[in-house]
Amino acid sequence: MTARTSPSAKLLLSANLGFLWTELPLPDAVRAAARAGFDAVELHWPYAVPAPELRAAVEETGLPVLGLNMSRGDPDKGEFGLAALPGREADALAAFEQALGYARRIDAGNIHVMAGLSEGDAARRTFVANLRRFRDLAAPYGVTLLLEPINNRDVPGYFLSDCDAAAAIISDCGGDGIRIMYDCYHMQIMRGDLVREAARMMDLIGHIQFAAVPDRAEPDHGEVDYGWLLPALRDAGYGGCFGAEYKPRATTEGGLGWIGRIAPRR
């Protein structure tokens, strides 16, 4: 469950290094995030980088790693996750074990379990069964599973695009150890009414991410006023870091001016 926070608390920001500072080796991207004043980092698929190299940068900077993604499978075949694909249980388990092993080596607290492109009752049963197994593997190490509803405009056919569906799956899994990753970009596209929707789900939200809508660039323009929204979500009870998961229009460094306007560091 997300910790409660006071309305006067500082907004905490996490740099998603799947999109930010991608021109740098991942350990150097961690250092760049620290210099820019971020409070934490989060990852997509760091597995090509030896874990000791990344851990050294994490320890040097003091930035916690909030989480990483489980493998999406083979992107050349259009795969975007494995956990809700009937018949692929062995592949999904291997991908989760890879993610859990890496998370333990860098002390990451969450794993985003990517469902994949699928639909129907068989897919749902497969997803629930896999999540129960993954949760039991992760629990001894204090690692939480995250489910992210993804909009069906960017990723047509993705199994999970709705927070209510995610909440029902969490309930079927028994609740403990599984939370929702609430991405404001995806949820604005799917439903809008972000504060009320997030507040309704707050006890199930494990992490919140954000980016401009509709272009997913720096959060300083577009449909959503993050200078208003992020404090409103904090005041609604979210006490964690807000994950900046956007695609820079040019360089990451050149686009960081939004931080001073949305979440001043001092």
Side-chain angles (χ1 to χ4, degrees):
M1 184 180 296
T2 300
R4 298 287 166 174
T5 188
S6 69
S8 61
K10 169 187 171 183
L11 290 176
L12 301 175
L13 297 177
S14 171
N16 190 299
L17 302 182
F19 287 154
L20 304 184
W21 288 289
T22 57
E23 75 280 5
L24 298 177
L26 191 54
D28 289 338
V30 173
R31 297 180 179 102
R35 289 194 298 271
F38 284 93
D39 302 289
V41 295
E42 54 200 71
L43 314 171
H44 282 175
W45 302 283
Y47 306 110
V49 178
E53 294 180 15
L54 185 55
R55 187 178 182 95
V58 168
E59 291 177 347
E60 173 189 325
T61 60
L63 295 187
V65 180
L66 299 186
L68 49 82
N69 290 351
M70 181 176 148
S71 172
R72 56 188 159 178
D74 187 346
D76 292 336
K77 295 180 180 178
E79 292 183 332
F80 203 71
L82 300 168
L85 304 186
R88 298 291 298 280
E89 289 85 352
D91 293 334
L93 177 59
F96 184 77
E97 288 176 335
Q98 176 193 39
L100 181 59
Y102 200 97
R104 291 178 59 199
R105 290 193 290 273
I106 63 170
D107 200 23
N110 301 288
I111 295 174
H112 170 205
V113 178
M114 300 187 70
L117 307 178
S118 59
E119 61 181 355
D121 292 341
R124 192 181 192 282
R125 288 193 298 271
T126 299
F127 197 31
V128 169
N130 279 332
L131 287 169
R132 288 172 174 166
R133 185 173 191 180
F134 299 166
R135 186 260 319 278
D136 291 346
L137 291 172
Y141 307 106
V143 174
T144 298
L145 311 187
L146 296 178
L147 310 184
E148 181 182 24
I150 295 176
N151 81 77
N152 56 24
R153 184 181 71 195
D154 288 357
V155 189
Y158 191 73
F159 177 77
L160 194 62
S161 61
D162 179 82
C163 281
D164 287 314
I169 287 170
I170 291 171
S171 178
D172 284 355
C173 291
D176 292 343
I178 309 174
R179 290 291 180 263
I180 293 171
M181 182 150 64
Y182 188 91
D183 189 315
C184 298
Y185 166 79
H186 292 301
M187 292 301 94
Q188 171 68 8
I189 292 170
M190 292 301 298
R191 185 174 289 193
D193 202 13
L194 295 174
V195 173
R196 287 185 177 86
E197 286 296 302
R200 187 169 63 87
M201 294 285 173
M202 193 59 72
D203 285 347
L204 290 178
I205 290 176
H207 186 45
I208 293 179
Q209 296 177 325
F210 65 103
V213 182
D215 63 1
R216 208 175 188 181
E218 284 87 350
D220 56 6
H221 66 286
E223 297 176 10
V224 181
D225 178 2
Y226 285 109
W228 176 85
L229 179 66
L230 298 190
L233 292 173
R234 174 201 60 194
D235 296 348
Y238 180 67
C241 283
F242 292 94
E245 191 190 33
Y246 64 87
K247 299 177 181 179
R249 291 183 290 256
T251 66
T252 301
E253 295 288 345
L256 292 177
W258 63 268
I259 296 178
R261 295 191 292 275
I262 292 176
R265 302 288 76 197
R266 296 290 185 270

